[in-house]
């Protein structure tokens, strides 16, 4: 299943990655102000509606405010692993999946995505099942969501240093991004200040690892521990 997951991410991302972009770290204070302003084009209820509809007119800044603005929503819980996620992992690894299994997995994905609309694993599994069921229209909409998230992530940095870290709101996105880029996790993870550093397995680019800024996740955890 890991190979299927990697292929889905790569195929959905290739169009985005082929467009060279400059990267900019998110300014969380400005984003918070914008997504809470009812008169702003970045007002969160409007943005998440556009995202859920896979609105092709969304600008990069709107996409960035949608992804990073999620940390200011009540449902943001980066270290929560729901029962739906557990059931999804069990279902997707079943051998000889049938159409009924694909439909069940899609429903489980939808429950996970209610809790976290940017769960790339759930989005990719849903894409896999929609493809198997030949639900082309829904598949295109779902892949568009994957592309939105990936476009945001690569707009934030290149991961090569702390100064140019990838900015993620959920640590699971770190591993999803590695798979999408064609790298494998090297088995070692280090927390350095508010950065996650993931060691990479040996690769042709000689890249040792990537840095990820996980400030929102750590702040959220700190608040819940008080």
């Amino acid at each position: 299943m890991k190979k299927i997951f990697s292929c889905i991410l790569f195929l959905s991302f290739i169009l985005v990655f082929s467009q060279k972009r400059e990267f900019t770290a998110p300014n969380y204070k400005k984003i918070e102000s914008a997504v809470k302003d009812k008169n702003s084009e970045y007002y969160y209820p409007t943005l998440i509606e556009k995202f859920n509809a896979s609105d092709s007119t969304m600008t990069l800044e709107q996409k960035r405010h949608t992804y990073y603005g999620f940390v200011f929503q009540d449902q943001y819980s980066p270290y929560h692993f729901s029962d739906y996620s557990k059931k999804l992992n069990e279902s997707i690894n079943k051998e000889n999946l049938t159409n009924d299994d694909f439909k069940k997995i899609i429903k489980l994905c939808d429950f996970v995505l209610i809790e976290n609309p940017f769960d790339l694993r759930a989005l990719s599994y849903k894409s896999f099942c929609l493809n198997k069921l030949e639900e082309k229209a829904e598949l295109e909409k779902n892949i568009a969501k994957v592309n939105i998230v990936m476009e945001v992530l690569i707009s934030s940095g290149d991961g090569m240093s702390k100064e140019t870290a990838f900015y993620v709101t959920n640590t699971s996105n770190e591993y999803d991004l590695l798979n999408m880029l064609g790298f494998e996790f090297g088995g070692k993870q280090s927390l350095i200040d508010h950065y996650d550093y993931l060691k990479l397995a040996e690769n042709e680019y000689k890249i040792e690892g990537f840095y990820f800024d996980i400030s929102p996740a750590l702040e959220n955890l700190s608040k819940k521990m008080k």
Side-chain angles (χ1 to χ4, degrees):
M1 196 63 229
K2 182 179 179 182
K3 184 178 290 186
I4 294 173
F5 173 52
S6 301
C7 289
I8 289 172
L9 284 181
F10 179 75
L11 290 173
S12 66
F13 177 71
I14 192 168
L15 292 177
V16 175
F17 189 64
S18 64
Q19 301 173 16
K20 186 177 181 180
R21 295 185 183 277
E22 295 182 0
F23 41 81
T24 306
N27 185 320
Y28 284 109
K29 288 185 178 180
K30 288 185 177 180
I31 290 174
E32 180 179 14
S33 177
V35 298
K36 292 181 177 180
D37 183 357
K38 293 183 178 181
N39 297 314
S40 169
E41 68 170 301
Y42 304 120
Y43 183 49
Y44 205 77
T46 301
L47 289 180
I48 197 63
E49 184 177 347
K50 286 178 176 290
F51 175 80
N52 287 332
S54 302
D55 191 334
S56 62
T57 68
M58 290 183 76
T59 65
L60 176 58
E61 277 307 307
Q62 288 175 330
K63 296 171 184 177
R64 284 168 59 90
H65 277 72
T66 307
Y67 177 79
Y68 293 117
F70 184 61
V71 305
F72 305 109
Q73 310 309 305
D74 291 339
Q75 71 191 93
Y76 176 61
S77 185
Y79 293 108
H80 172 65
F81 191 72
S82 72
D83 289 337
Y84 294 121
S85 295
K86 295 175 184 176
K87 292 178 181 177
L88 176 57
N89 287 338
E90 293 171 359
S91 298
I92 201 71
N93 287 311
K94 177 183 174 182
E95 292 186 11
N96 303 317
L97 295 171
T98 65
N99 282 354
D100 285 340
D101 290 322
F102 296 139
K103 292 175 183 178
K104 176 185 177 182
I105 291 169
I106 288 173
K107 288 182 179 180
L108 288 172
C109 288
D110 286 338
F111 282 125
V112 172
L113 293 169
I114 288 174
E115 298 176 342
N116 177 12
F118 313 105
D119 189 308
L120 287 167
R121 197 149 303 184
L123 285 170
S124 68
Y125 288 162
K126 185 175 180 179
S127 292
F128 172 72
C129 293
L130 288 170
N131 183 56
K132 287 294 185 179
L133 293 173
E134 298 184 349
E135 297 284 349
K136 294 183 179 180
E138 286 302 310
L139 175 61
E140 289 180 3
K141 289 175 62 177
N142 202 67
I143 288 178
K145 292 178 183 178
V146 177
N147 283 338
I148 287 173
V149 179
M150 291 304 178
E151 185 177 7
V152 169
L153 295 180
I154 64 166
S155 76
S156 68
D158 60 10
M160 301 298 288
S161 67
K162 292 180 181 179
E163 292 74 24
T164 61
F166 291 116
Y167 282 71
V168 297
T169 60
N170 193 305
T171 54
S172 66
N173 287 162
E174 301 172 4
Y175 300 91
D176 300 334
L177 185 58
L178 290 189
N179 285 329
M180 174 273 297
L181 290 174
F183 295 103
E184 292 185 12
F185 177 47
K188 184 178 180 180
Q189 177 265 341
S190 303
L191 181 62
I192 308 170
D193 297 324
H194 56 277
Y195 299 97
D196 249 351
Y197 178 76
L198 298 190
K199 182 79 173 178
L200 299 181
E202 186 176 347
N203 57 85
E204 61 180 301
Y205 304 103
K206 309 298 181 182
I207 298 175
E208 295 187 0
F210 284 133
Y211 289 90
F212 299 85
D213 184 296
I214 58 169
S215 306
L218 293 177
E219 290 176 11
N220 183 273
L221 181 63
S222 178
K223 289 178 182 178
K224 289 186 176 181
M225 293 178 66
K226 288 182 179 179

